[in-house]
Amino acid sequence: GQQVMQIPQYQHVQEGEDFTTYCNSSTTLSNIQWYKQRPGGHPVFLIQLVKSGEVKKQKRLTFQFGEAKKNSSLHITATQTTDVGTYFCAESKAAGNKLTFGGGTRVLVKP
Amino acid sequence: NAGVTQTPKFQVLKTGQSMTLQCAQDMNHNSMYWYRQDPGMGLRLIYYSASEGTTDKGEVPNGYNVSRLNKREFSLRLESAAPSQTSVYFCASSGTINEQFFGPGTRLTVL
């Protein structure tokens, strides 16, 4: 079945540096959603991307949907300790249908 | 609005015991979901309910049953708990763009 792969699994980042995490699929994705889960917490919805090549920004976070809609990326600039957590992408199809989650990228920030 | 609530927050069971995890949402959402998350892992869908009166299996349904009691409530039952069911269980409901709103989770240990 449909699989959504995230790389890297782990990301150690020096505070103040930038990094990017990727979400890849072998088939065309409908929509992509991104979530953040703080350690010990629950996943929280960040954003949804729908259109080919779409780019959305939330402060220091930039989300992009690939032109072929087979991949997506999350880029964080000037990483802060508050960015620690696991970032999940998920394919979303029609409303009410189940999502397909990637395995997540666990981000650790070195002060 | 409380969003999605789950009870209990923590539970320890002995192998073979049964229990029901409760979930309720006050956002008038049609769809609700149960996930499990093992340490350092992603989210795996156990069961979901696209609307009141319907339930469907997810990726890992074995050993679980669900009841969509009404539009607000979706419970998960373990009939005979096993150590392999030690996990964190998240309930979620989905909004207008199928974004997931997660509850705080139930941390279950089966001895």
Side-chain angles (χ1 to χ4, degrees):
Chain A
Q2 172 69 45
Q3 279 201 326
V4 177
M5 308 299 292
Q6 284 189 253
I7 53 171
Q9 265 191 299
Y10 299 92
Q11 181 82 54
H12 291 80
V13 190
Q14 191 71 45
E15 190 173 13
E17 291 185 343
D18 302 353
F19 78 91
T20 303
T21 179
Y22 300 90
C23 180
N24 299 317
S25 173
S26 58
T27 58
T28 303
L29 299 163
S30 300
N31 304 318
I32 273 288
Q33 296 182 356
W34 285 90
Y35 293 79
K36 177 183 178 182
Q37 183 178 24
R38 295 182 186 273
H42 59 276
V44 174
F45 173 75
L46 294 175
I47 210 157
Q48 174 164 279
L49 304 173
V50 177
K51 300 176 184 175
S52 167
E54 188 171 13
V55 178
K56 289 187 177 179
K57 292 189 176 184
Q58 289 181 350
K59 296 182 181 178
R60 295 179 295 101
L61 277 61
T62 302
F63 304 85
Q64 187 163 3
F65 208 176
E67 292 291 341
K69 295 185 74 173
K70 288 186 175 181
N71 55 71
S72 179
S73 63
L74 161 58
H75 181 79
I76 300 182
T77 59
T79 304
Q80 300 177 358
T81 54
T82 53
D83 295 324
V84 166
T86 302
Y87 294 83
F88 293 99
C89 66
E91 181 189 19
S92 170
K93 297 189 177 180
N97 281 350
K98 55 187 179 180
L99 272 65
T100 302
F101 279 88
T105 293
R106 296 180 71 185
V107 176
L108 300 171
V109 179
K110 294 177 280 188
Chain B
N1 285 352
V4 179
T5 57
Q6 292 184 235
T7 56
K9 285 186 169 53
F10 301 92
Q11 183 72 51
V12 179
L13 293 176
K14 294 181 179 178
T15 297
Q17 287 186 316
S18 62
M19 80 161 295
T20 300
L21 281 64
Q22 308 286 353
C23 173
Q25 52 92 10
D26 61 2
M27 295 173 281
N28 202 35
H29 289 162
N30 288 320
S31 301
M32 297 184 73
Y33 308 79
W34 276 105
Y35 295 91
R36 62 176 287 174
Q37 186 176 37
D38 299 328
M41 303 289 285
L43 297 155
R44 292 189 290 172
L45 182 66
I46 305 170
Y47 271 93
Y48 68 107
S49 171
S51 61
E52 186 179 353
T54 68
T55 60
D56 285 287
K57 295 179 180 179
E59 182 186 352
V60 288
N62 291 345
Y64 306 94
N65 286 303
V66 290
S67 295
R68 184 73 183 268
L69 304 169
N70 47 56
K71 192 172 186 179
R72 288 187 64 248
E73 298 172 287
F74 188 38
S75 63
L76 178 72
R77 182 160 179 84
L78 286 70
E79 289 291 349
S80 179
S84 61
Q85 294 178 305
T86 294
S87 190
V88 180
Y89 291 84
F90 289 104
C91 176
S93 64
S94 61
T96 53
I97 59 169
N98 212 24
E99 76 276 35
Q100 307 271 290
F101 294 85
F102 286 86
T106 295
R107 282 148 183 80
L108 175 67
T109 301
V110 182
L111 303 174

